PDB file of all heavy atoms in Angstrom:
ATOM      1  N   ALA R   1      34.971 -25.975  19.856  1.00 42.00           N
ATOM      2  CA  ALA R   1      34.396 -26.679  20.987  1.00 42.00           C
ATOM      3  C   ALA R   1      35.459 -27.304  21.847  1.00 42.00           C
ATOM      4  O   ALA R   1      35.256 -27.565  23.022  1.00 42.00           O
ATOM      5  CB  ALA R   1      33.425 -27.757  20.504  1.00 42.00           C
ATOM      6  N   ALA R   2      36.617 -27.549  21.254  1.00 43.00           N
ATOM      7  CA  ALA R   2      37.677 -28.214  21.990  1.00 43.00           C
ATOM      8  C   ALA R   2      38.316 -27.310  23.012  1.00 43.00           C
ATOM      9  O   ALA R   2      39.071 -27.763  23.848  1.00 43.00           O
ATOM     10  CB  ALA R   2      38.746 -28.720  21.021  1.00 43.00           C
ATOM     11  N   VAL R   3      38.066 -26.031  22.942  1.00 46.00           N
ATOM     12  CA  VAL R   3      38.663 -25.121  23.886  1.00 46.00           C
ATOM     13  C   VAL R   3      37.630 -24.538  24.833  1.00 46.00           C
ATOM     14  O   VAL R   3      37.859 -23.568  25.507  1.00 46.00           O
ATOM     15  CB  VAL R   3      39.395 -23.971  23.157  1.00 46.00           C
ATOM     16  CG1 VAL R   3      40.572 -24.523  22.398  1.00 46.00           C
ATOM     17  CG2 VAL R   3      38.457 -23.211  22.245  1.00 46.00           C
ATOM     18  N   SER R   4      36.448 -25.123  24.848  1.00 48.00           N
ATOM     19  CA  SER R   4      35.415 -24.667  25.762  1.00 48.00           C
ATOM     20  C   SER R   4      34.863 -25.853  26.518  1.00 48.00           C
ATOM     21  O   SER R   4      34.867 -26.976  26.051  1.00 48.00           O
ATOM     22  CB  SER R   4      34.288 -23.976  24.982  1.00 48.00           C
ATOM     23  OG  SER R   4      33.719 -24.866  24.057  1.00 48.00           O
ATOM     24  N   THR R   5      34.394 -25.625  27.704  1.00 44.00           N
ATOM     25  CA  THR R   5      33.863 -26.681  28.541  1.00 44.00           C
ATOM     26  C   THR R   5      32.418 -26.953  28.165  1.00 44.00           C
ATOM     27  O   THR R   5      31.646 -26.022  27.965  1.00 44.00           O
ATOM     28  CB  THR R   5      33.937 -26.272  30.020  1.00 44.00           C
ATOM     29  OG1 THR R   5      35.286 -25.976  30.334  1.00 44.00           O
ATOM     30  CG2 THR R   5      33.425 -27.380  30.924  1.00 44.00           C
ATOM     31  N   PRO R   6      32.006 -28.212  28.042  1.00 47.00           N
ATOM     32  CA  PRO R   6      30.634 -28.518  27.683  1.00 47.00           C
ATOM     33  C   PRO R   6      29.659 -27.900  28.676  1.00 47.00           C
ATOM     34  O   PRO R   6      29.972 -27.780  29.863  1.00 47.00           O
ATOM     35  CB  PRO R   6      30.578 -30.054  27.729  1.00 47.00           C
ATOM     36  CG  PRO R   6      31.978 -30.469  27.507  1.00 47.00           C
ATOM     37  CD  PRO R   6      32.814 -29.418  28.162  1.00 47.00           C
ATOM     38  N   PRO R   7      28.469 -27.509  28.217  1.00 48.00           N
ATOM     39  CA  PRO R   7      27.499 -26.891  29.092  1.00 48.00           C
ATOM     40  C   PRO R   7      27.004 -27.850  30.146  1.00 48.00           C
ATOM     41  O   PRO R   7      27.097 -29.071  30.005  1.00 48.00           O
ATOM     42  CB  PRO R   7      26.366 -26.509  28.126  1.00 48.00           C
ATOM     43  CG  PRO R   7      26.496 -27.469  26.995  1.00 48.00           C
ATOM     44  CD  PRO R   7      27.958 -27.691  26.860  1.00 48.00           C
ATOM     45  N   ALA R   8      26.460 -27.293  31.200  1.00 47.00           N
ATOM     46  CA  ALA R   8      25.928 -28.114  32.271  1.00 47.00           C
ATOM     47  C   ALA R   8      24.766 -28.922  31.737  1.00 47.00           C
ATOM     48  O   ALA R   8      23.871 -28.420  31.070  1.00 47.00           O
ATOM     49  CB  ALA R   8      25.458 -27.226  33.417  1.00 47.00           C
ATOM     50  N   ILE R   9      24.767 -30.192  32.025  1.00 46.00           N
ATOM     51  CA  ILE R   9      23.691 -31.053  31.548  1.00 46.00           C
ATOM     52  C   ILE R   9      23.147 -31.859  32.704  1.00 46.00           C
ATOM     53  O   ILE R   9      23.713 -31.902  33.789  1.00 46.00           O
ATOM     54  CB  ILE R   9      24.190 -32.008  30.438  1.00 46.00           C
ATOM     55  CG1 ILE R   9      25.370 -32.851  30.965  1.00 46.00           C
ATOM     56  CG2 ILE R   9      24.614 -31.240  29.219  1.00 46.00           C
ATOM     57  CD1 ILE R   9      25.859 -33.870  29.984  1.00 46.00           C
ATOM     58  N   SER R  10      22.047 -32.505  32.452  1.00 46.00           N
ATOM     59  CA  SER R  10      21.399 -33.294  33.490  1.00 46.00           C
ATOM     60  C   SER R  10      22.318 -34.385  33.987  1.00 46.00           C
ATOM     61  O   SER R  10      23.145 -34.911  33.257  1.00 46.00           O
ATOM     62  CB  SER R  10      20.111 -33.903  32.936  1.00 46.00           C
ATOM     63  OG  SER R  10      19.562 -34.843  33.819  1.00 46.00           O
ATOM     64  N   ASN R  11      22.156 -34.780  35.240  1.00 48.00           N
ATOM     65  CA  ASN R  11      23.005 -35.801  35.824  1.00 48.00           C
ATOM     66  C   ASN R  11      22.514 -37.208  35.528  1.00 48.00           C
ATOM     67  O   ASN R  11      23.113 -38.173  35.971  1.00 48.00           O
ATOM     68  CB  ASN R  11      23.081 -35.616  37.341  1.00 48.00           C
ATOM     69  CG  ASN R  11      23.917 -34.402  37.711  1.00 48.00           C
ATOM     70  OD1 ASN R  11      24.872 -34.092  37.005  1.00 48.00           O
ATOM     71  ND2 ASN R  11      23.547 -33.730  38.786  1.00 48.00           N
ATOM     72  N   THR R  12      21.395 -37.333  34.798  1.00 48.00           N
ATOM     73  CA  THR R  12      20.916 -38.674  34.491  1.00 48.00           C
ATOM     74  C   THR R  12      21.885 -39.354  33.553  1.00 48.00           C
ATOM     75  O   THR R  12      22.396 -38.751  32.614  1.00 48.00           O
ATOM     76  CB  THR R  12      19.526 -38.614  33.826  1.00 48.00           C
ATOM     77  OG1 THR R  12      19.617 -37.842  32.645  1.00 48.00           O
ATOM     78  CG2 THR R  12      18.504 -38.014  34.784  1.00 48.00           C
ATOM     79  N   PRO R  13      22.188 -40.642  33.794  1.00 46.00           N
ATOM     80  CA  PRO R  13      23.164 -41.358  32.971  1.00 46.00           C
ATOM     81  C   PRO R  13      22.829 -41.323  31.495  1.00 46.00           C
ATOM     82  O   PRO R  13      23.700 -41.214  30.656  1.00 46.00           O
ATOM     83  CB  PRO R  13      23.098 -42.791  33.535  1.00 46.00           C
ATOM     84  CG  PRO R  13      22.620 -42.624  34.955  1.00 46.00           C
ATOM     85  CD  PRO R  13      21.681 -41.469  34.911  1.00 46.00           C
ATOM     86  N   ALA R  14      21.515 -41.415  31.167  1.00 45.00           N
ATOM     87  CA  ALA R  14      21.143 -41.458  29.750  1.00 45.00           C
ATOM     88  C   ALA R  14      21.583 -40.196  29.035  1.00 45.00           C
ATOM     89  O   ALA R  14      22.150 -40.242  27.951  1.00 45.00           O
ATOM     90  CB  ALA R  14      19.638 -41.639  29.620  1.00 45.00           C
ATOM     91  N   LYS R  15      21.320 -39.035  29.651  1.00 49.00           N
ATOM     92  CA  LYS R  15      21.668 -37.785  28.997  1.00 49.00           C
ATOM     93  C   LYS R  15      23.172 -37.603  28.930  1.00 49.00           C
ATOM     94  O   LYS R  15      23.701 -37.025  27.998  1.00 49.00           O
ATOM     95  CB  LYS R  15      21.011 -36.609  29.724  1.00 49.00           C
ATOM     96  CG  LYS R  15      19.501 -36.559  29.496  1.00 49.00           C
ATOM     97  CD  LYS R  15      18.896 -35.271  30.025  1.00 49.00           C
ATOM     98  CE  LYS R  15      17.404 -35.202  29.699  1.00 49.00           C
ATOM     99  NZ  LYS R  15      16.799 -33.944  30.163  1.00 49.00           N
ATOM    100  N   ARG R  16      23.881 -38.071  29.931  1.00 54.00           N
ATOM    101  CA  ARG R  16      25.342 -37.986  29.872  1.00 54.00           C
ATOM    102  C   ARG R  16      25.861 -38.831  28.712  1.00 54.00           C
ATOM    103  O   ARG R  16      26.736 -38.414  27.966  1.00 54.00           O
ATOM    104  CB  ARG R  16      25.955 -38.446  31.196  1.00 54.00           C
ATOM    105  CG  ARG R  16      25.843 -37.425  32.322  1.00 54.00           C
ATOM    106  CD  ARG R  16      26.923 -37.684  33.362  1.00 54.00           C
ATOM    107  NE  ARG R  16      26.831 -39.031  33.918  1.00 54.00           N
ATOM    108  CZ  ARG R  16      26.116 -39.342  34.996  1.00 54.00           C
ATOM    109  NH1 ARG R  16      25.390 -38.425  35.603  1.00 54.00           N
ATOM    110  NH2 ARG R  16      26.105 -40.574  35.461  1.00 54.00           N
ATOM    111  N   ASP R  17      25.303 -40.049  28.579  1.00 56.00           N
ATOM    112  CA  ASP R  17      25.732 -40.929  27.493  1.00 56.00           C
ATOM    113  C   ASP R  17      25.419 -40.298  26.145  1.00 56.00           C
ATOM    114  O   ASP R  17      26.214 -40.336  25.227  1.00 56.00           O
ATOM    115  CB  ASP R  17      25.043 -42.286  27.612  1.00 56.00           C
ATOM    116  CG  ASP R  17      25.541 -43.078  28.813  1.00 56.00           C
ATOM    117  OD1 ASP R  17      26.629 -42.737  29.313  1.00 56.00           O
ATOM    118  OD2 ASP R  17      24.846 -44.004  29.242  1.00 56.00           O
ATOM    119  N   TYR R  18      24.242 -39.753  26.017  1.00 80.00           N
ATOM    120  CA  TYR R  18      23.868 -39.138  24.750  1.00 80.00           C
ATOM    121  C   TYR R  18      24.758 -37.950  24.429  1.00 80.00           C
ATOM    122  O   TYR R  18      25.092 -37.712  23.269  1.00 80.00           O
ATOM    123  CB  TYR R  18      22.400 -38.693  24.785  1.00 80.00           C
ATOM    124  CG  TYR R  18      21.408 -39.826  24.732  1.00 80.00           C
ATOM    125  CD1 TYR R  18      20.221 -39.774  25.466  1.00 80.00           C
ATOM    126  CD2 TYR R  18      21.652 -40.950  23.950  1.00 80.00           C
ATOM    127  CE1 TYR R  18      19.308 -40.819  25.423  1.00 80.00           C
ATOM    128  CE2 TYR R  18      20.755 -41.994  23.901  1.00 80.00           C
ATOM    129  CZ  TYR R  18      19.581 -41.927  24.633  1.00 80.00           C
ATOM    130  OH  TYR R  18      18.684 -42.952  24.581  1.00 80.00           O
ATOM    131  N   TYR R  19      25.165 -37.194  25.443  1.00 82.00           N
ATOM    132  CA  TYR R  19      26.026 -36.046  25.173  1.00 82.00           C
ATOM    133  C   TYR R  19      27.359 -36.511  24.599  1.00 82.00           C
ATOM    134  O   TYR R  19      27.829 -35.983  23.585  1.00 82.00           O
ATOM    135  CB  TYR R  19      26.279 -35.224  26.445  1.00 82.00           C
ATOM    136  CG  TYR R  19      27.262 -34.108  26.195  1.00 82.00           C
ATOM    137  CD1 TYR R  19      26.837 -32.898  25.656  1.00 82.00           C
ATOM    138  CD2 TYR R  19      28.635 -34.280  26.428  1.00 82.00           C
ATOM    139  CE1 TYR R  19      27.731 -31.887  25.373  1.00 82.00           C
ATOM    140  CE2 TYR R  19      29.538 -33.274  26.146  1.00 82.00           C
ATOM    141  CZ  TYR R  19      29.081 -32.078  25.630  1.00 82.00           C
ATOM    142  OH  TYR R  19      29.973 -31.086  25.335  1.00 82.00           O
ATOM    143  N   TRP R  20      27.978 -37.500  25.208  1.00 82.00           N
ATOM    144  CA  TRP R  20      29.275 -37.964  24.722  1.00 82.00           C
ATOM    145  C   TRP R  20      29.146 -38.617  23.360  1.00 82.00           C
ATOM    146  O   TRP R  20      30.040 -38.502  22.518  1.00 82.00           O
ATOM    147  CB  TRP R  20      29.903 -38.937  25.728  1.00 82.00           C
ATOM    148  CG  TRP R  20      30.305 -38.262  27.003  1.00 82.00           C
ATOM    149  CD1 TRP R  20      29.818 -38.493  28.250  1.00 82.00           C
ATOM    150  CD2 TRP R  20      31.270 -37.211  27.130  1.00 82.00           C
ATOM    151  NE1 TRP R  20      30.411 -37.645  29.151  1.00 82.00           N
ATOM    152  CE2 TRP R  20      31.308 -36.855  28.494  1.00 82.00           C
ATOM    153  CE3 TRP R  20      32.092 -36.536  26.231  1.00 82.00           C
ATOM    154  CZ2 TRP R  20      32.145 -35.856  28.978  1.00 82.00           C
ATOM    155  CZ3 TRP R  20      32.920 -35.543  26.702  1.00 82.00           C
ATOM    156  CH2 TRP R  20      32.948 -35.211  28.063  1.00 82.00           C
ATOM    157  N   LEU R  21      28.023 -39.298  23.128  1.00 85.00           N
ATOM    158  CA  LEU R  21      27.814 -39.916  21.820  1.00 85.00           C
ATOM    159  C   LEU R  21      27.676 -38.846  20.743  1.00 85.00           C
ATOM    160  O   LEU R  21      28.274 -38.956  19.662  1.00 85.00           O
ATOM    161  CB  LEU R  21      26.554 -40.790  21.851  1.00 85.00           C
ATOM    162  CG  LEU R  21      26.158 -41.461  20.527  1.00 85.00           C
ATOM    163  CD1 LEU R  21      27.274 -42.389  20.058  1.00 85.00           C
ATOM    164  CD2 LEU R  21      24.848 -42.235  20.693  1.00 85.00           C
ATOM    165  N   ARG R  22      26.910 -37.801  21.031  1.00 86.00           N
ATOM    166  CA  ARG R  22      26.752 -36.719  20.067  1.00 86.00           C
ATOM    167  C   ARG R  22      28.084 -36.006  19.832  1.00 86.00           C
ATOM    168  O   ARG R  22      28.422 -35.638  18.704  1.00 86.00           O
ATOM    169  CB  ARG R  22      25.703 -35.711  20.563  1.00 86.00           C
ATOM    170  CG  ARG R  22      24.303 -36.290  20.693  1.00 86.00           C
ATOM    171  CD  ARG R  22      23.251 -35.200  20.784  1.00 86.00           C
ATOM    172  NE  ARG R  22      23.525 -34.249  21.842  1.00 86.00           N
ATOM    173  CZ  ARG R  22      23.120 -34.349  23.096  1.00 86.00           C
ATOM    174  NH1 ARG R  22      22.424 -35.429  23.460  1.00 86.00           N
ATOM    175  NH2 ARG R  22      23.389 -33.415  23.981  1.00 86.00           N
ATOM    176  N   SER R  23      28.839 -35.821  20.904  1.00 81.00           N
ATOM    177  CA  SER R  23      30.143 -35.179  20.779  1.00 81.00           C
ATOM    178  C   SER R  23      31.095 -36.033  19.941  1.00 81.00           C
ATOM    179  O   SER R  23      31.851 -35.526  19.107  1.00 81.00           O
ATOM    180  CB  SER R  23      30.744 -34.950  22.170  1.00 81.00           C
ATOM    181  OG  SER R  23      32.028 -34.372  22.085  1.00 81.00           O
ATOM    182  N   PHE R  24      31.027 -37.343  20.158  1.00 86.00           N
ATOM    183  CA  PHE R  24      31.859 -38.285  19.405  1.00 86.00           C
ATOM    184  C   PHE R  24      31.554 -38.193  17.913  1.00 86.00           C
ATOM    185  O   PHE R  24      32.455 -38.100  17.074  1.00 86.00           O
ATOM    186  CB  PHE R  24      31.589 -39.704  19.919  1.00 86.00           C
ATOM    187  CG  PHE R  24      32.528 -40.751  19.389  1.00 86.00           C
ATOM    188  CD1 PHE R  24      33.632 -41.141  20.117  1.00 86.00           C
ATOM    189  CD2 PHE R  24      32.289 -41.355  18.167  1.00 86.00           C
ATOM    190  CE1 PHE R  24      34.496 -42.118  19.634  1.00 86.00           C
ATOM    191  CE2 PHE R  24      33.146 -42.321  17.665  1.00 86.00           C
ATOM    192  CZ  PHE R  24      34.254 -42.703  18.408  1.00 86.00           C
ATOM    193  N   VAL R  25      30.260 -38.212  17.582  1.00 88.00           N
ATOM    194  CA  VAL R  25      29.836 -38.153  16.179  1.00 88.00           C
ATOM    195  C   VAL R  25      30.258 -36.825  15.544  1.00 88.00           C
ATOM    196  O   VAL R  25      30.761 -36.793  14.414  1.00 88.00           O
ATOM    197  CB  VAL R  25      28.316 -38.345  16.068  1.00 88.00           C
ATOM    198  CG1 VAL R  25      27.843 -38.066  14.642  1.00 88.00           C
ATOM    199  CG2 VAL R  25      27.928 -39.762  16.479  1.00 88.00           C
ATOM    200  N   ALA R  26      30.059 -35.726  16.268  1.00 86.00           N
ATOM    201  CA  ALA R  26      30.396 -34.410  15.721  1.00 86.00           C
ATOM    202  C   ALA R  26      31.875 -34.312  15.390  1.00 86.00           C
ATOM    203  O   ALA R  26      32.254 -33.859  14.300  1.00 86.00           O
ATOM    204  CB  ALA R  26      30.011 -33.318  16.723  1.00 86.00           C
ATOM    205  N   GLY R  27      32.725 -34.747  16.306  1.00 82.00           N
ATOM    206  CA  GLY R  27      34.163 -34.699  16.064  1.00 82.00           C
ATOM    207  C   GLY R  27      34.603 -35.622  14.949  1.00 82.00           C
ATOM    208  O   GLY R  27      35.443 -35.264  14.123  1.00 82.00           O
ATOM    209  N   GLY R  28      34.002 -36.820  14.902  1.00 87.00           N
ATOM    210  CA  GLY R  28      34.369 -37.770  13.860  1.00 87.00           C
ATOM    211  C   GLY R  28      33.978 -37.308  12.472  1.00 87.00           C
ATOM    212  O   GLY R  28      34.771 -37.411  11.529  1.00 87.00           O
ATOM    213  N   VAL R  29      32.766 -36.786  12.326  1.00 89.00           N
ATOM    214  CA  VAL R  29      32.304 -36.301  11.021  1.00 89.00           C
ATOM    215  C   VAL R  29      33.151 -35.126  10.545  1.00 89.00           C
ATOM    216  O   VAL R  29      33.556 -35.048   9.380  1.00 89.00           O
ATOM    217  CB  VAL R  29      30.822 -35.894  11.091  1.00 89.00           C
ATOM    218  CG1 VAL R  29      30.394 -35.171   9.818  1.00 89.00           C
ATOM    219  CG2 VAL R  29      29.942 -37.126  11.315  1.00 89.00           C
ATOM    220  N   ALA R  30      33.431 -34.191  11.455  1.00 84.00           N
ATOM    221  CA  ALA R  30      34.250 -33.032  11.096  1.00 84.00           C
ATOM    222  C   ALA R  30      35.643 -33.464  10.645  1.00 84.00           C
ATOM    223  O   ALA R  30      36.180 -32.956   9.655  1.00 84.00           O
ATOM    224  CB  ALA R  30      34.354 -32.077  12.284  1.00 84.00           C
ATOM    225  N   GLY R  31      36.233 -34.421  11.361  1.00 84.00           N
ATOM    226  CA  GLY R  31      37.559 -34.900  10.996  1.00 84.00           C
ATOM    227  C   GLY R  31      37.586 -35.570   9.637  1.00 84.00           C
ATOM    228  O   GLY R  31      38.491 -35.330   8.831  1.00 84.00           O
ATOM    229  N   CYS R  32      36.576 -36.391   9.359  1.00 90.00           N
ATOM    230  CA  CYS R  32      36.518 -37.085   8.067  1.00 90.00           C
ATOM    231  C   CYS R  32      36.351 -36.106   6.911  1.00 90.00           C
ATOM    232  O   CYS R  32      36.998 -36.242   5.872  1.00 90.00           O
ATOM    233  CB  CYS R  32      35.374 -38.092   8.071  1.00 90.00           C
ATOM    234  SG  CYS R  32      35.677 -39.554   9.086  1.00 90.00           S
ATOM    235  N   CYS R  33      35.489 -35.118   7.081  1.00 88.00           N
ATOM    236  CA  CYS R  33      35.281 -34.126   6.020  1.00 88.00           C
ATOM    237  C   CYS R  33      36.556 -33.333   5.757  1.00 88.00           C
ATOM    238  O   CYS R  33      36.935 -33.099   4.604  1.00 88.00           O
ATOM    239  CB  CYS R  33      34.147 -33.179   6.399  1.00 88.00           C
ATOM    240  SG  CYS R  33      32.506 -33.937   6.390  1.00 88.00           S
ATOM    241  N   ALA R  34      37.226 -32.922   6.833  1.00 84.00           N
ATOM    242  CA  ALA R  34      38.445 -32.132   6.684  1.00 84.00           C
ATOM    243  C   ALA R  34      39.550 -32.933   6.013  1.00 84.00           C
ATOM    244  O   ALA R  34      40.237 -32.446   5.111  1.00 84.00           O
ATOM    245  CB  ALA R  34      38.907 -31.635   8.055  1.00 84.00           C
ATOM    246  N   LYS R  35      39.725 -34.181   6.431  1.00 88.00           N
ATOM    247  CA  LYS R  35      40.802 -35.000   5.882  1.00 88.00           C
ATOM    248  C   LYS R  35      40.546 -35.386   4.434  1.00 88.00           C
ATOM    249  O   LYS R  35      41.485 -35.474   3.638  1.00 88.00           O
ATOM    250  CB  LYS R  35      40.996 -36.256   6.739  1.00 88.00           C
ATOM    251  CG  LYS R  35      41.750 -36.009   8.031  1.00 88.00           C
ATOM    252  CD  LYS R  35      43.171 -35.550   7.756  1.00 88.00           C
ATOM    253  CE  LYS R  35      43.968 -35.365   9.025  1.00 88.00           C
ATOM    254  NZ  LYS R  35      45.361 -34.911   8.743  1.00 88.00           N
ATOM    255  N   THR R  36      39.301 -35.625   4.070  1.00 89.00           N
ATOM    256  CA  THR R  36      38.996 -35.951   2.684  1.00 89.00           C
ATOM    257  C   THR R  36      39.297 -34.761   1.778  1.00 89.00           C
ATOM    258  O   THR R  36      39.789 -34.921   0.652  1.00 89.00           O
ATOM    259  CB  THR R  36      37.521 -36.356   2.538  1.00 89.00           C
ATOM    260  OG1 THR R  36      37.271 -37.524   3.337  1.00 89.00           O
ATOM    261  CG2 THR R  36      37.181 -36.666   1.093  1.00 89.00           C
ATOM    262  N   THR R  37      39.024 -33.567   2.270  1.00 88.00           N
ATOM    263  CA  THR R  37      39.278 -32.356   1.493  1.00 88.00           C
ATOM    264  C   THR R  37      40.753 -32.202   1.151  1.00 88.00           C
ATOM    265  O   THR R  37      41.113 -31.803   0.039  1.00 88.00           O
ATOM    266  CB  THR R  37      38.796 -31.112   2.263  1.00 88.00           C
ATOM    267  OG1 THR R  37      37.399 -31.237   2.525  1.00 88.00           O
ATOM    268  CG2 THR R  37      39.047 -29.838   1.466  1.00 88.00           C
ATOM    269  N   ILE R  38      41.619 -32.541   2.099  1.00 88.00           N
ATOM    270  CA  ILE R  38      43.057 -32.331   1.887  1.00 88.00           C
ATOM    271  C   ILE R  38      43.814 -33.633   1.627  1.00 88.00           C
ATOM    272  O   ILE R  38      45.046 -33.653   1.666  1.00 88.00           O
ATOM    273  CB  ILE R  38      43.694 -31.613   3.098  1.00 88.00           C
ATOM    274  CG1 ILE R  38      43.565 -32.490   4.361  1.00 88.00           C
ATOM    275  CG2 ILE R  38      43.055 -30.252   3.312  1.00 88.00           C
ATOM    276  CD1 ILE R  38      44.388 -31.990   5.527  1.00 88.00           C
ATOM    277  N   ALA R  39      43.086 -34.718   1.324  1.00 89.00           N
ATOM    278  CA  ALA R  39      43.732 -36.013   1.089  1.00 89.00           C
ATOM    279  C   ALA R  39      44.811 -35.958   0.008  1.00 89.00           C
ATOM    280  O   ALA R  39      45.887 -36.550   0.173  1.00 89.00           O
ATOM    281  CB  ALA R  39      42.681 -37.069   0.751  1.00 89.00           C
ATOM    282  N   PRO R  40      44.585 -35.271  -1.132  1.00 89.00           N
ATOM    283  CA  PRO R  40      45.659 -35.204  -2.144  1.00 89.00           C
ATOM    284  C   PRO R  40      46.930 -34.557  -1.608  1.00 89.00           C
ATOM    285  O   PRO R  40      48.040 -35.006  -1.918  1.00 89.00           O
ATOM    286  CB  PRO R  40      45.029 -34.341  -3.252  1.00 89.00           C
ATOM    287  CG  PRO R  40      43.563 -34.571  -3.112  1.00 89.00           C
ATOM    288  CD  PRO R  40      43.339 -34.658  -1.627  1.00 89.00           C
ATOM    289  N   LEU R  41      46.794 -33.540  -0.793  1.00 84.00           N
ATOM    290  CA  LEU R  41      47.968 -32.882  -0.219  1.00 84.00           C
ATOM    291  C   LEU R  41      48.667 -33.792   0.787  1.00 84.00           C
ATOM    292  O   LEU R  41      49.898 -33.794   0.881  1.00 84.00           O
ATOM    293  CB  LEU R  41      47.558 -31.568   0.446  1.00 84.00           C
ATOM    294  CG  LEU R  41      46.965 -30.513  -0.489  1.00 84.00           C
ATOM    295  CD1 LEU R  41      46.480 -29.304   0.300  1.00 84.00           C
ATOM    296  CD2 LEU R  41      47.982 -30.077  -1.527  1.00 84.00           C
ATOM    297  N   ASP R  42      47.896 -34.586   1.533  1.00 83.00           N
ATOM    298  CA  ASP R  42      48.498 -35.529   2.480  1.00 83.00           C
ATOM    299  C   ASP R  42      49.296 -36.600   1.741  1.00 83.00           C
ATOM    300  O   ASP R  42      50.374 -37.007   2.188  1.00 83.00           O
ATOM    301  CB  ASP R  42      47.415 -36.187   3.334  1.00 83.00           C
ATOM    302  CG  ASP R  42      47.022 -35.336   4.535  1.00 83.00           C
ATOM    303  OD1 ASP R  42      47.823 -34.481   4.933  1.00 83.00           O
ATOM    304  OD2 ASP R  42      45.908 -35.529   5.064  1.00 83.00           O
ATOM    305  N   ARG R  43      48.756 -37.076   0.611  1.00 85.00           N
ATOM    306  CA  ARG R  43      49.471 -38.097  -0.171  1.00 85.00           C
ATOM    307  C   ARG R  43      50.804 -37.538  -0.669  1.00 85.00           C
ATOM    308  O   ARG R  43      51.846 -38.198  -0.592  1.00 85.00           O
ATOM    309  CB  ARG R  43      48.610 -38.523  -1.375  1.00 85.00           C
ATOM    310  CG  ARG R  43      49.383 -39.453  -2.348  1.00 85.00           C
ATOM    311  CD  ARG R  43      49.132 -40.908  -2.066  1.00 85.00           C
ATOM    312  NE  ARG R  43      50.201 -41.752  -2.574  1.00 85.00           N
ATOM    313  CZ  ARG R  43      50.313 -42.180  -3.836  1.00 85.00           C
ATOM    314  NH1 ARG R  43      49.429 -41.823  -4.734  1.00 85.00           N
ATOM    315  NH2 ARG R  43      51.312 -42.957  -4.176  1.00 85.00           N
ATOM    316  N   VAL R  44      50.780 -36.319  -1.185  1.00 85.00           N
ATOM    317  CA  VAL R  44      51.999 -35.692  -1.680  1.00 85.00           C
ATOM    318  C   VAL R  44      52.994 -35.486  -0.545  1.00 85.00           C
ATOM    319  O   VAL R  44      54.196 -35.687  -0.708  1.00 85.00           O
ATOM    320  CB  VAL R  44      51.673 -34.350  -2.368  1.00 85.00           C
ATOM    321  CG1 VAL R  44      52.945 -33.578  -2.673  1.00 85.00           C
ATOM    322  CG2 VAL R  44      50.896 -34.597  -3.648  1.00 85.00           C
TER     323      VAL R  44
END
């Protein structure tokens, strides 16, 4: 998703806010899962 432009969405502020919030959550969850998986290797 980081190399593609987000799809066209409604111009209403609420939907714009919700899009960024959902994007924020998606990136954060993915990062936490990935880092926890390789945490022992990071410590080493």
Side-chain angles (χ1 to χ4, degrees):
V3 294
S4 60
T5 303
I9 57 176
S10 170
N11 288 327
T12 59
K15 288 189 176 182
R16 284 203 302 270
D17 291 341
Y18 288 143
Y19 175 83
W20 292 117
L21 177 61
R22 296 197 306 271
S23 178
F24 189 96
V25 171
V29 170
C32 288
C33 290
K35 282 296 183 180
T36 299
T37 301
I38 63 169
L41 297 175
D42 276 339
R43 172 95 203 277
V44 170

